[in-house]
Each structure stands twice: as structure tokens, then as C-alpha cells.
Amino acid sequence: MAIAKAERLMNLALCLLGTRRPLSKRELRESIEAYVEAFRPTDPSAGSDESFNRMFERDKDDLRELGLVIETVENLDGEVGYLARRDSNRLPPITFDAEEAAALGVAARVWQQARLAGAASGALQKLRAAGMPEAEEAYEERPSALEPRIPVHEAAFEPLMLACRDRRPVVFDYRKSSAARPEQRQVEPWTLECWRGHWYLAGWDRDRGAERVFRLSRITGRVRSRTGSFTAPVPDVSTVRETVESWAGETATRTALIRLRSGAGYPLRARASSVRAAGPDWDELEIPYGHGLDAWLVEFGPDVVVVEPAGLRADVMDRLRAVAKG
């Protein structure tokens, strides 16, 4: 069975790489011998269309896991086709010096999410087989008191990561911090960014016709993929990162004055420009004030009181009332 599957995947990859136009599922089913044998339309014992669709989707996902870039294209008649362009699947020779190899070793150890941890480990093994210097392995043998880690707890991370990679539109339910109920969003995902321990998705919101940033912890339910191509151009990654930075409240334009309960809110204290005592149980902090600060302050609940500006105080109160209403 393993040999048959490997042969089927190889034939599918060659078929997608060899075509100059997108091929539909029907055309692939009729062109690849393994599919023809398993799903003969004239054979009553052959598998159904549903069984073929499941096998094809698994095979396509397996090829993408192996690194093949497969494009999904919809023609004028609305039929979906697939192809793997050779220029998108061709890499120049890759060489690393010892310092670069060590940096890759550190990066591979960062991920705690199981799928990415396995992918990083597999990538390093392939690079070693291709002759990557041994400095990375020497680094792994040295004990370290500090280990870099990127935690991933949100269920939406993996499907969104794959959608960003494959340039596939998605649909999900999203609850804003000021809203009591989630709303459905149709998004063309650009990239995932991590700020202050939280993951954010940047993309094009089709319903609003504008770029938007979504915090993954506020996505409810399942992320569903949609067929078709992006309708909006994807900006440069550095531009997207600046958008996430601004949306997550990292770009400060003013200063806010807040009161913080003693012994609480250490992330706020680390960001404060000044801290002074304001009684036996409270401290007064001046912190940079930018977009998204109100949502961050709400997370500290009764341990934070906004003194000024009045607009920030009102925004925090509105969010707390929305949370209280459920």
C-alpha cells in the first residue's frame, strides 16, 4: 500500500508540474492510472465520487506537506483547476556557513506547536543531508538556561497558517472585544504575526473591502477554506508587519496615565515610562498610548483603572460592559 501511494503521489506531482493550464479533478482522475483503477465509472465495485474527492484532497495535502506549491485556479465557468508551476517549485542552490546553520538550529527549537516542530525537525534533517555544516548540531549539544519558545494555543493557528501558505480565502466567526456575539468574516489571509505573546492574522476583509487584523484568540468555531483566488493584492511582508504592530497597540502616539494594583500587571510595568506610588495598594504609571491599548488593559480586569485620557477610560469601560453582558 505504501508503494502504491508513493507512486500515486509521484504521478500526481508529475501531472501537475507537466501541465501548462490548470487541470480539474475530473481530468486528473482520468489521467492518473491509480485513480482510473480505483474509481472506474463502469465498475460497480469501484469507489464513489466522494471517495475519490477524499483521496484526492489527502494526496494534494501530502504533496503540499512535502513542499510542492500547488495553485488553485477558478476558470470563467467556475470550475476549479490545479497546477504546480515549475518556476514556483524551483529553488536555487542553498549554502550556509556555520553561523547561519547555528541560527537555523535555534529557530527550529523555537516552535512548541506539534505540526511546526515536526516540520522544522524534518527540514533540518534534509539540510544536513545536503551538506549543512555541523555547527547547528554542536549548538544543540550545549545546555542553555534560556530556551526560546513561541507558544501556539489557538486552534485557528494551523488552518490559517496553511491558508496563508496556499493563498486560500477563509471564513470564520470572530468576536470583537467590544461585541457580545461573534460575526462571520470572509478574509484573504496574508500572514500570521506574534506580538506580546498573542497571535494576529493580517488580511483583506472582503465584506468591509479593507485590510484588517484579527487576534486569533477571538476566533470562535472552525476556520473554513474557500475556493477561488485573492481579489486584493498582497502587500510586502514588512508593510503587513507594520500594520499588525499598529493594530496590536505597539505604535504609540500619546501617553496614558493609569493606576495599577500593587503586585499586579507586570507586563504594563515593563512598558511604563514612569512608575510612582499612589497609596498603600496602588501605583500610578505612565505608559505609551496607541491603537489597541484599551483591549490590552481590559485583560487586567479590576487591577487597572484608567485616569486619563477620558477617551481611553470610556473605551475600557465599554469593553468591560460588553464582557459583563456576555
Side-chain angles (χ1 to χ4, degrees), residues 119-154:
S121 176
L124 282 181
Q125 291 178 5
K126 293 176 182 177
L127 289 172
R128 290 194 195 103
M132 186 176 74
E134 298 296 320
E136 178 271 329
E137 293 184 350
Y139 173 84
E140 283 188 343
E141 295 173 358
R142 293 199 297 269
S144 174
L146 295 176
E147 288 289 341
R149 290 290 183 264
I150 297 180
V152 178
H153 306 295
E154 295 86 353

mmCIF file of all heavy atoms in Angstrom, residues 119-154:
data_model
loop_
_atom_site.group_PDB
_atom_site.id
_atom_site.type_symbol
_atom_site.label_atom_id
_atom_site.label_comp_id
_atom_site.label_asym_id
_atom_site.label_seq_id
_atom_site.Cartn_x
_atom_site.Cartn_y
_atom_site.Cartn_z
ATOM 1 N N ALA A 119 7.812 19.748 11.345
ATOM 2 C CA ALA A 119 8.263 20.286 10.061
ATOM 3 C C ALA A 119 9.664 20.872 10.180
ATOM 4 O O ALA A 119 10.501 20.692 9.283
ATOM 5 C CB ALA A 119 7.272 21.345 9.572
ATOM 6 N N ALA A 120 9.940 21.580 11.278
ATOM 7 C CA ALA A 120 11.262 22.180 11.469
ATOM 8 C C ALA A 120 12.329 21.103 11.602
ATOM 9 O O ALA A 120 13.420 21.210 11.030
ATOM 10 C CB ALA A 120 11.253 23.082 12.707
ATOM 11 N N SER A 121 12.007 20.046 12.353
ATOM 12 C CA SER A 121 12.967 18.962 12.521
ATOM 13 C C SER A 121 13.251 18.272 11.190
ATOM 14 O O SER A 121 14.404 17.983 10.854
ATOM 15 C CB SER A 121 12.425 17.946 13.532
ATOM 16 O OG SER A 121 13.288 16.842 13.650
ATOM 17 N N GLY A 122 12.206 18.034 10.400
ATOM 18 C CA GLY A 122 12.395 17.404 9.097
ATOM 19 C C GLY A 122 13.202 18.269 8.156
ATOM 20 O O GLY A 122 14.037 17.767 7.391
ATOM 21 N N ALA A 123 12.980 19.590 8.207
ATOM 22 C CA ALA A 123 13.737 20.495 7.339
ATOM 23 C C ALA A 123 15.223 20.461 7.685
ATOM 24 O O ALA A 123 16.085 20.459 6.791
ATOM 25 C CB ALA A 123 13.191 21.911 7.474
ATOM 26 N N LEU A 124 15.549 20.426 8.979
ATOM 27 C CA LEU A 124 16.958 20.366 9.382
ATOM 28 C C LEU A 124 17.617 19.072 8.915
ATOM 29 O O LEU A 124 18.782 19.061 8.493
ATOM 30 C CB LEU A 124 17.070 20.496 10.900
ATOM 31 C CG LEU A 124 16.929 21.912 11.478
ATOM 32 C CD1 LEU A 124 17.089 21.872 12.977
ATOM 33 C CD2 LEU A 124 17.948 22.860 10.862
ATOM 34 N N GLN A 125 16.876 17.967 9.000
ATOM 35 C CA GLN A 125 17.443 16.700 8.546
ATOM 36 C C GLN A 125 17.760 16.743 7.048
ATOM 37 O O GLN A 125 18.798 16.238 6.608
ATOM 38 C CB GLN A 125 16.457 15.574 8.852
ATOM 39 C CG GLN A 125 16.307 15.278 10.336
ATOM 40 C CD GLN A 125 15.294 14.187 10.597
ATOM 41 O OE1 GLN A 125 14.762 13.579 9.678
ATOM 42 N NE2 GLN A 125 15.020 13.940 11.868
ATOM 43 N N LYS A 126 16.887 17.353 6.265
ATOM 44 C CA LYS A 126 17.132 17.470 4.828
ATOM 45 C C LYS A 126 18.343 18.356 4.551
ATOM 46 O O LYS A 126 19.154 18.066 3.661
ATOM 47 C CB LYS A 126 15.900 18.036 4.134
ATOM 48 C CG LYS A 126 14.700 17.100 4.166
ATOM 49 C CD LYS A 126 13.473 17.754 3.540
ATOM 50 C CE LYS A 126 12.262 16.841 3.623
ATOM 51 N NZ LYS A 126 11.037 17.475 3.082
ATOM 52 N N LEU A 127 18.477 19.454 5.334
ATOM 53 C CA LEU A 127 19.620 20.341 5.129
ATOM 54 C C LEU A 127 20.925 19.656 5.522
ATOM 55 O O LEU A 127 21.958 19.853 4.872
ATOM 56 C CB LEU A 127 19.426 21.629 5.937
ATOM 57 C CG LEU A 127 18.330 22.565 5.417
ATOM 58 C CD1 LEU A 127 18.101 23.707 6.401
ATOM 59 C CD2 LEU A 127 18.697 23.125 4.048
ATOM 60 N N ARG A 128 20.891 18.860 6.584
ATOM 61 C CA ARG A 128 22.097 18.122 6.971
ATOM 62 C C ARG A 128 22.498 17.140 5.858
ATOM 63 O O ARG A 128 23.676 16.985 5.536
ATOM 64 C CB ARG A 128 21.851 17.353 8.270
ATOM 65 C CG ARG A 128 21.707 18.220 9.509
ATOM 66 C CD ARG A 128 21.805 17.362 10.760
ATOM 67 N NE ARG A 128 21.337 18.081 11.925
ATOM 68 C CZ ARG A 128 20.155 17.889 12.486
ATOM 69 N NH1 ARG A 128 19.331 16.990 11.990
ATOM 70 N NH2 ARG A 128 19.796 18.566 13.555
ATOM 71 N N ALA A 129 21.503 16.462 5.308
ATOM 72 C CA ALA A 129 21.792 15.508 4.234
ATOM 73 C C ALA A 129 22.372 16.200 3.003
ATOM 74 O O ALA A 129 23.137 15.604 2.245
ATOM 75 C CB ALA A 129 20.516 14.755 3.852
ATOM 76 N N ALA A 130 22.027 17.484 2.834
ATOM 77 C CA ALA A 130 22.538 18.240 1.686
ATOM 78 C C ALA A 130 23.896 18.864 1.965
ATOM 79 O O ALA A 130 24.436 19.569 1.115
ATOM 80 C CB ALA A 130 21.538 19.324 1.298
ATOM 81 N N GLY A 131 24.438 18.641 3.180
ATOM 82 C CA GLY A 131 25.773 19.122 3.475
ATOM 83 C C GLY A 131 25.841 20.350 4.350
ATOM 84 O O GLY A 131 26.862 21.050 4.349
ATOM 85 N N MET A 132 24.797 20.655 5.118
ATOM 86 C CA MET A 132 24.844 21.812 6.001
ATOM 87 C C MET A 132 25.920 21.609 7.068
ATOM 88 O O MET A 132 26.091 20.491 7.562
ATOM 89 C CB MET A 132 23.477 22.022 6.676
ATOM 90 C CG MET A 132 23.400 23.304 7.497
ATOM 91 S SD MET A 132 21.747 23.585 8.201
ATOM 92 C CE MET A 132 21.734 22.373 9.507
ATOM 93 N N PRO A 133 26.659 22.645 7.434
ATOM 94 C CA PRO A 133 27.718 22.498 8.444
ATOM 95 C C PRO A 133 27.185 21.940 9.750
ATOM 96 O O PRO A 133 26.009 22.071 10.076
ATOM 97 C CB PRO A 133 28.233 23.930 8.623
ATOM 98 C CG PRO A 133 27.893 24.617 7.351
ATOM 99 C CD PRO A 133 26.601 24.004 6.881
ATOM 100 N N GLU A 134 28.096 21.350 10.534
ATOM 101 C CA GLU A 134 27.710 20.686 11.771
ATOM 102 C C GLU A 134 27.594 21.629 12.954
ATOM 103 O O GLU A 134 27.322 21.191 14.057
ATOM 104 C CB GLU A 134 28.736 19.591 12.119
ATOM 105 C CG GLU A 134 28.831 18.500 11.073
ATOM 106 C CD GLU A 134 27.524 17.724 10.965
ATOM 107 O OE1 GLU A 134 26.923 17.460 12.010
ATOM 108 O OE2 GLU A 134 27.120 17.415 9.842
ATOM 109 N N ALA A 135 27.772 22.938 12.743
ATOM 110 C CA ALA A 135 27.725 23.879 13.870
ATOM 111 C C ALA A 135 26.379 23.845 14.558
ATOM 112 O O ALA A 135 26.274 23.993 15.759
ATOM 113 C CB ALA A 135 28.020 25.303 13.386
ATOM 114 N N GLU A 136 25.323 23.624 13.784
ATOM 115 C CA GLU A 136 23.994 23.573 14.369
ATOM 116 C C GLU A 136 23.870 22.431 15.351
ATOM 117 O O GLU A 136 23.311 22.562 16.434
ATOM 118 C CB GLU A 136 22.960 23.444 13.243
ATOM 119 C CG GLU A 136 21.520 23.337 13.716
ATOM 120 C CD GLU A 136 21.134 21.900 13.949
ATOM 121 O OE1 GLU A 136 21.656 21.025 13.257
ATOM 122 O OE2 GLU A 136 20.328 21.648 14.863
ATOM 123 N N GLU A 137 24.429 21.253 15.011
ATOM 124 C CA GLU A 137 24.365 20.118 15.920
ATOM 125 C C GLU A 137 25.203 20.373 17.165
ATOM 126 O O GLU A 137 24.811 20.008 18.275
ATOM 127 C CB GLU A 137 24.857 18.866 15.210
ATOM 128 C CG GLU A 137 23.937 18.429 14.095
ATOM 129 C CD GLU A 137 24.400 17.129 13.468
ATOM 130 O OE1 GLU A 137 25.514 16.691 13.784
ATOM 131 O OE2 GLU A 137 23.638 16.570 12.683
ATOM 132 N N ALA A 138 26.349 21.035 17.001
ATOM 133 C CA ALA A 138 27.172 21.348 18.164
ATOM 134 C C ALA A 138 26.432 22.283 19.096
ATOM 135 O O ALA A 138 26.515 22.181 20.314
ATOM 136 C CB ALA A 138 28.491 21.983 17.715
ATOM 137 N N TYR A 139 25.665 23.205 18.527
ATOM 138 C CA TYR A 139 24.881 24.110 19.359
ATOM 139 C C TYR A 139 23.856 23.338 20.177
ATOM 140 O O TYR A 139 23.637 23.609 21.345
ATOM 141 C CB TYR A 139 24.164 25.143 18.488
ATOM 142 C CG TYR A 139 23.199 26.002 19.257
ATOM 143 C CD1 TYR A 139 23.644 27.127 19.937
ATOM 144 C CD2 TYR A 139 21.856 25.667 19.334
ATOM 145 C CE1 TYR A 139 22.774 27.912 20.670
ATOM 146 C CE2 TYR A 139 20.974 26.433 20.071
ATOM 147 C CZ TYR A 139 21.430 27.561 20.732
ATOM 148 O OH TYR A 139 20.559 28.322 21.457
ATOM 149 N N GLU A 140 23.230 22.329 19.557
ATOM 150 C CA GLU A 140 22.204 21.574 20.259
ATOM 151 C C GLU A 140 22.766 20.838 21.464
ATOM 152 O O GLU A 140 22.065 20.592 22.432
ATOM 153 C CB GLU A 140 21.559 20.575 19.307
ATOM 154 C CG GLU A 140 20.568 21.215 18.347
ATOM 155 C CD GLU A 140 19.809 20.172 17.560
ATOM 156 O OE1 GLU A 140 20.288 19.008 17.523
ATOM 157 O OE2 GLU A 140 18.764 20.493 16.991
ATOM 158 N N GLU A 141 24.048 20.492 21.401
ATOM 159 C CA GLU A 141 24.622 19.719 22.488
ATOM 160 C C GLU A 141 24.954 20.587 23.695
ATOM 161 O O GLU A 141 25.129 20.086 24.793
ATOM 162 C CB GLU A 141 25.892 19.015 22.000
ATOM 163 C CG GLU A 141 25.591 17.958 20.910
ATOM 164 C CD GLU A 141 26.862 17.408 20.325
ATOM 165 O OE1 GLU A 141 27.951 17.887 20.744
ATOM 166 O OE2 GLU A 141 26.794 16.522 19.458
ATOM 167 N N ARG A 142 25.024 21.888 23.538
ATOM 168 C CA ARG A 142 25.372 22.755 24.659
ATOM 169 C C ARG A 142 24.127 23.087 25.457
ATOM 170 O O ARG A 142 23.123 23.541 24.903
ATOM 171 C CB ARG A 142 26.019 24.052 24.153
ATOM 172 C CG ARG A 142 27.352 23.854 23.504
ATOM 173 C CD ARG A 142 28.103 25.175 23.459
ATOM 174 N NE ARG A 142 27.418 26.163 22.661
ATOM 175 C CZ ARG A 142 27.634 26.341 21.358
ATOM 176 N NH1 ARG A 142 28.488 25.579 20.718
ATOM 177 N NH2 ARG A 142 26.988 27.277 20.694
ATOM 178 N N PRO A 143 24.149 22.873 26.790
ATOM 179 C CA PRO A 143 22.977 23.214 27.597
ATOM 180 C C PRO A 143 22.814 24.725 27.673
ATOM 181 O O PRO A 143 23.767 25.482 27.613
ATOM 182 C CB PRO A 143 23.307 22.610 28.966
ATOM 183 C CG PRO A 143 24.809 22.559 29.006
ATOM 184 C CD PRO A 143 25.241 22.297 27.594
ATOM 185 N N SER A 144 21.567 25.158 27.818
ATOM 186 C CA SER A 144 21.268 26.583 27.896
ATOM 187 C C SER A 144 20.211 26.814 28.943
ATOM 188 O O SER A 144 19.235 26.061 29.039
ATOM 189 C CB SER A 144 20.788 27.101 26.535
ATOM 190 O OG SER A 144 20.377 28.444 26.644
ATOM 191 N N ALA A 145 20.385 27.852 29.760
ATOM 192 C CA ALA A 145 19.392 28.195 30.783
ATOM 193 C C ALA A 145 18.182 28.864 30.170
ATOM 194 O O ALA A 145 17.086 28.812 30.726
ATOM 195 C CB ALA A 145 20.023 29.118 31.835
ATOM 196 N N LEU A 146 18.357 29.502 29.026
ATOM 197 C CA LEU A 146 17.254 30.191 28.359
ATOM 198 C C LEU A 146 16.953 29.497 27.039
ATOM 199 O O LEU A 146 17.844 29.319 26.213
ATOM 200 C CB LEU A 146 17.609 31.665 28.103
ATOM 201 C CG LEU A 146 17.793 32.527 29.334
ATOM 202 C CD1 LEU A 146 18.226 33.928 28.921
ATOM 203 C CD2 LEU A 146 16.512 32.605 30.159
ATOM 204 N N GLU A 147 15.712 29.064 26.860
ATOM 205 C CA GLU A 147 15.306 28.413 25.629
ATOM 206 C C GLU A 147 14.246 29.271 24.946
ATOM 207 O O GLU A 147 13.201 29.555 25.539
ATOM 208 C CB GLU A 147 14.707 27.026 25.928
ATOM 209 C CG GLU A 147 15.727 25.999 26.359
ATOM 210 C CD GLU A 147 16.630 25.571 25.213
ATOM 211 O OE1 GLU A 147 16.248 25.793 24.058
ATOM 212 O OE2 GLU A 147 17.710 25.032 25.475
ATOM 213 N N PRO A 148 14.482 29.718 23.716
ATOM 214 C CA PRO A 148 13.461 30.489 23.016
ATOM 215 C C PRO A 148 12.271 29.604 22.677
ATOM 216 O O PRO A 148 12.434 28.479 22.235
ATOM 217 C CB PRO A 148 14.180 30.960 21.747
ATOM 218 C CG PRO A 148 15.247 29.929 21.524
ATOM 219 C CD PRO A 148 15.686 29.474 22.897
ATOM 220 N N ARG A 149 11.063 30.131 22.896
ATOM 221 C CA ARG A 149 9.849 29.383 22.617
ATOM 222 C C ARG A 149 8.780 30.299 22.046
ATOM 223 O O ARG A 149 8.670 31.446 22.476
ATOM 224 C CB ARG A 149 9.313 28.708 23.890
ATOM 225 C CG ARG A 149 10.166 27.545 24.394
ATOM 226 C CD ARG A 149 10.055 26.347 23.451
ATOM 227 N NE ARG A 149 10.797 25.204 23.940
ATOM 228 C CZ ARG A 149 12.022 24.885 23.572
ATOM 229 N NH1 ARG A 149 12.665 25.662 22.723
ATOM 230 N NH2 ARG A 149 12.612 23.808 24.051
ATOM 231 N N ILE A 150 8.019 29.801 21.086
ATOM 232 C CA ILE A 150 6.857 30.510 20.571
ATOM 233 C C ILE A 150 5.647 29.627 20.839
ATOM 234 O O ILE A 150 5.442 28.625 20.156
ATOM 235 C CB ILE A 150 6.974 30.810 19.065
ATOM 236 C CG1 ILE A 150 8.158 31.746 18.807
ATOM 237 C CG2 ILE A 150 5.681 31.446 18.543
ATOM 238 C CD1 ILE A 150 8.346 32.093 17.355
ATOM 239 N N PRO A 151 4.840 29.938 21.867
ATOM 240 C CA PRO A 151 3.684 29.100 22.175
ATOM 241 C C PRO A 151 2.556 29.319 21.172
ATOM 242 O O PRO A 151 2.343 30.422 20.693
ATOM 243 C CB PRO A 151 3.277 29.577 23.576
ATOM 244 C CG PRO A 151 3.732 31.003 23.635
ATOM 245 C CD PRO A 151 4.992 31.068 22.798
ATOM 246 N N VAL A 152 1.856 28.250 20.851
ATOM 247 C CA VAL A 152 0.693 28.326 19.975
ATOM 248 C C VAL A 152 -0.424 27.515 20.617
ATOM 249 O O VAL A 152 -0.330 26.295 20.701
ATOM 250 C CB VAL A 152 0.996 27.765 18.569
ATOM 251 C CG1 VAL A 152 -0.259 27.811 17.707
ATOM 252 C CG2 VAL A 152 2.115 28.553 17.914
ATOM 253 N N HIS A 153 -1.443 28.204 21.108
ATOM 254 C CA HIS A 153 -2.543 27.535 21.785
ATOM 255 C C HIS A 153 -3.839 27.590 20.990
ATOM 256 O O HIS A 153 -4.753 26.808 21.254
ATOM 257 C CB HIS A 153 -2.768 28.163 23.162
ATOM 258 C CG HIS A 153 -1.537 28.204 24.016
ATOM 259 N ND1 HIS A 153 -0.917 27.063 24.481
ATOM 260 C CD2 HIS A 153 -0.801 29.245 24.486
ATOM 261 C CE1 HIS A 153 0.148 27.396 25.212
ATOM 262 N NE2 HIS A 153 0.242 28.713 25.218
ATOM 263 N N GLU A 154 -3.975 28.511 20.059
ATOM 264 C CA GLU A 154 -5.231 28.702 19.346
ATOM 265 C C GLU A 154 -5.430 27.622 18.284
ATOM 266 O O GLU A 154 -4.532 27.320 17.504
ATOM 267 C CB GLU A 154 -5.279 30.081 18.680
ATOM 268 C CG GLU A 154 -5.277 31.249 19.656
ATOM 269 C CD GLU A 154 -3.881 31.666 20.076
ATOM 270 O OE1 GLU A 154 -2.921 30.950 19.696
ATOM 271 O OE2 GLU A 154 -3.737 32.681 20.772
#
